[in-house]
Amino acid sequence: MRKLIVSVSLLAGVMVYAGGFRVSLQGVKQLAMAHTSAHAEDASVAFFNPAGISFIPAKLSVAAGGFGALSTVTYQNPSTLQSYETDNPIGTPIYAAIAYKPVENVSVGLSVTTPFGSTVDWGEDWAGKELVQKMALKSFFIQPMVSVKLAPWASVGASYIYAKGEVDWDKAVTQLGGSMNINDSKAKGSGFGLGFYFQPDENWDVSLAYRSPVRMKADNGTATFKISSALYPRLGLSASGTDKFKATLPLVDEWTVGAAVNVTPKWKLAADFNYTGWSQYNKLTLDFANAPVGNQPNDPTVLVTPKNFHDTRTIRLGTEYKFTDMIAGRAGWYYDESPYEDKYFIPETPSFDAHVATAGLGLNFGALGVDLAGAVSFPKARTFNNDYYNFRGQAKAKTYYFGLGLNYNLK
């Protein structure tokens, strides 16, 4: 039973990443410039800072786009030297936004994004199969917002965040002679965003933004055990081998400071600093309806899992050069920090310190804009020994992104 408790406890980590692991793919133009935020040319700024929609140079602006994300993770067992590699499908994050000025100094907007989500497929028979075989994560953020110009050069904005998430996770439970599926398609939560946006002169954009924690609530998740039915009574499972669970999972807050400057009429530089409060994860609690797979002496159906995340900082640098009125070239670099140390590595949501190089093109057809972007990540290999899960080895990763975005500004 101890092994079962350790394995099931990983659900807490899975559910956190289902709603809270930050993926920087919310704007194609932004990605090409290292996903920097101080760009108010169209409605895509809405996700990054609600105050920025006040400075869009149009009465109505619409932006939408999508990405392809290719990732491969390789694990090697230090004792046997046997290697395993994920067979992940292409991730397809999307975004859409609209901004409108009903009166001169007031703007309203709506942003729909998929900022968290991926699929990791290690196969059914690998060294860490009791931690994860396959896991698919999906999420949607829906953010209505309003922005008010305080002066010709300054605005303030606020947004309401409604979040919805899904998780579908398979793992082996060899001590019970089978496997288990964790599924919840109705996890939800809410939060808010606040921001200030400044254009002190025609050459500068400055963005200050805050995104609050979001408490994702899983009120009716299902754990399905694919094991001998003779074990169902022992675990308090239903006749179909299932049990329900509840969890309330806080997703961390994020602060962003960004600036962009036109060095010349054709050349722009941009920079961002992100601070993400992952240290809020000191523990996570999972409450099963019947199954006594917890670790609390007063209630064996309650599982409390310690987490050892730390706050992270991301530095982003981007540039744009307008070759003509129609064509702009973009490039960037940023450093992405993992929220946990090597000794806490977990394969269901593998994370690495990484340098990321980005590039792209912007094509201007009057009111219509077309953006292309690509990025390659250079993750640092991790050698780990996770004592809590008795899992050790070396992990390496490769990640590539590409995106296509459209925007339309009606003056």
Side-chain angles (χ1 to χ4, degrees):
M1 184 62 70
R2 168 60 182 166
K3 289 183 179 180
L4 179 62
I5 291 174
V6 170
S7 297
V8 174
S9 71
L10 283 176
L11 174 63
V14 170
M15 292 299 294
V16 168
Y17 284 108
F21 192 78
R22 186 74 170 88
V23 178
S24 296
L25 295 172
Q26 281 73 60
V28 174
K29 178 185 301 181
Q30 288 83 354
L31 175 63
M33 298 177 67
H35 216 247
T36 48
S37 63
H39 309 290
E41 291 91 350
D42 59 63
S44 62
V45 72
F47 172 82
F48 299 88
N49 187 341
I53 63 175
S54 283
F55 286 97
I56 298 172
K59 185 177 182 68
L60 173 67
S61 180
V62 180
F67 300 89
L70 300 168
S71 66
T72 301
V73 182
T74 302
Y75 163 79
Q76 185 173 53
N77 186 305
S79 300
T80 66
L81 300 182
Q82 189 169 6
S83 295
Y84 304 87
E85 188 173 271
T86 60
D87 184 19
N88 304 332
I90 297 176
T92 55
I94 60 173
Y95 69 93
I98 184 170
Y100 178 70
K101 290 182 173 67
V103 296
E104 183 177 358
N105 292 321
V106 178
S107 298
V108 294
L110 178 68
S111 168
V112 179
T113 56
T114 55
F116 316 110
S118 65
T119 298
V120 178
D121 188 351
W122 286 97
E124 295 184 357
D125 191 23
W126 77 291
K129 63 184 179 181
E130 292 203 23
L131 304 180
V132 61
Q133 293 170 321
K134 182 178 180 179
M135 184 183 66
L137 307 174
K138 298 179 182 179
S139 71
F140 287 91
F141 267 36
I142 302 172
Q143 296 178 245
M145 62 194 67
V146 62
S147 176
V148 178
K149 269 196 173 182
L150 305 176
W153 55 273
S155 65
V156 61
S159 67
Y160 169 76
I161 301 172
Y162 174 76
K164 184 175 176 58
E166 301 179 11
V167 59
D168 187 7
W169 174 43
D170 294 312
K171 61 177 299 298
V173 283
T174 53
Q175 69 276 16
L176 297 179
S179 63
M180 179 177 66
N181 173 263
I182 295 295
N183 188 282
D184 181 42
S185 61
K186 297 181 179 179
K188 57 186 179 181
S190 62
F192 65 90
L194 294 174
F196 292 91
Y197 203 94
F198 306 96
Q199 286 187 344
D201 60 42
E202 62 182 7
N203 292 320
W204 279 92
D205 285 65
V206 178
S207 175
L208 305 175
Y210 171 73
R211 189 173 298 109
S212 78
V214 175
R215 295 179 63 82
M216 295 291 287
K217 294 184 178 181
D219 293 324
N220 201 32
T222 300
T224 302
F225 291 80
K226 300 175 183 178
I227 58 176
S228 170
S229 59
L231 298 175
Y232 292 178
R234 174 186 170 189
L235 297 177
L237 306 180
S238 70
S240 58
T242 65
D243 193 21
K244 296 293 184 181
F245 69 85
K246 295 182 179 181
T248 300
L249 307 163
L251 309 182
V252 298
D253 56 356
E254 183 178 33
W255 297 83
T256 300
V257 179
V261 58
N262 293 314
V263 181
T264 72
K266 293 185 176 183
W267 181 29
K268 176 186 290 186
L269 293 176
D272 266 28
F273 175 78
N274 307 122
Y275 184 88
T276 307
W278 285 107
S279 62
Q280 295 175 34
Y281 288 109
N282 55 4
K283 66 177 181 179
L284 292 170
T285 301
L286 196 67
D287 188 356
F288 288 90
N290 300 300
V293 293
N295 57 6
Q296 300 302 293
N298 296 328
D299 189 346
T301 66
V302 175
L303 179 67
V304 179
T305 305
K307 306 298 290 184
N308 296 285
F309 292 84
H310 59 75
D311 295 345
T312 61
R313 300 160 181 83
T314 305
I315 299 173
R316 306 176 186 273
L317 300 172
T319 187
E320 176 187 75
Y321 187 83
K322 294 181 179 179
F323 298 104
T324 68
D325 290 340
M326 181 180 174
I327 302 174
R330 297 165 183 150
W333 163 91
Y334 66 91
Y335 178 73
D336 207 6
E337 184 182 2
S338 172
Y340 55 77
E341 299 174 18
D342 289 346
K343 60 184 177 181
Y344 303 126
F345 182 86
I346 44 181
E348 73 275 15
T349 50
S351 177
F352 303 83
D353 293 339
H355 294 272
V356 183
T358 70
L361 288 174
L363 304 176
N364 181 24
F365 302 96
L368 176 65
V370 179
D371 298 308
L372 303 170
V376 58
S377 177
F378 301 93
K380 180 182 177 181
R382 309 195 75 157
T383 300
F384 59 90
N385 186 358
N386 192 323
D387 291 333
Y388 188 81
Y389 299 117
N390 191 28
F391 185 68
R392 63 192 183 98
Q394 184 183 67
K396 299 179 181 180
K398 299 177 182 178
T399 307
Y400 306 92
Y401 307 107
F402 56 92
L404 170 64
L406 302 174
N407 61 83
Y408 181 78
N409 286 345
L410 180 62
K411 297 182 179 180

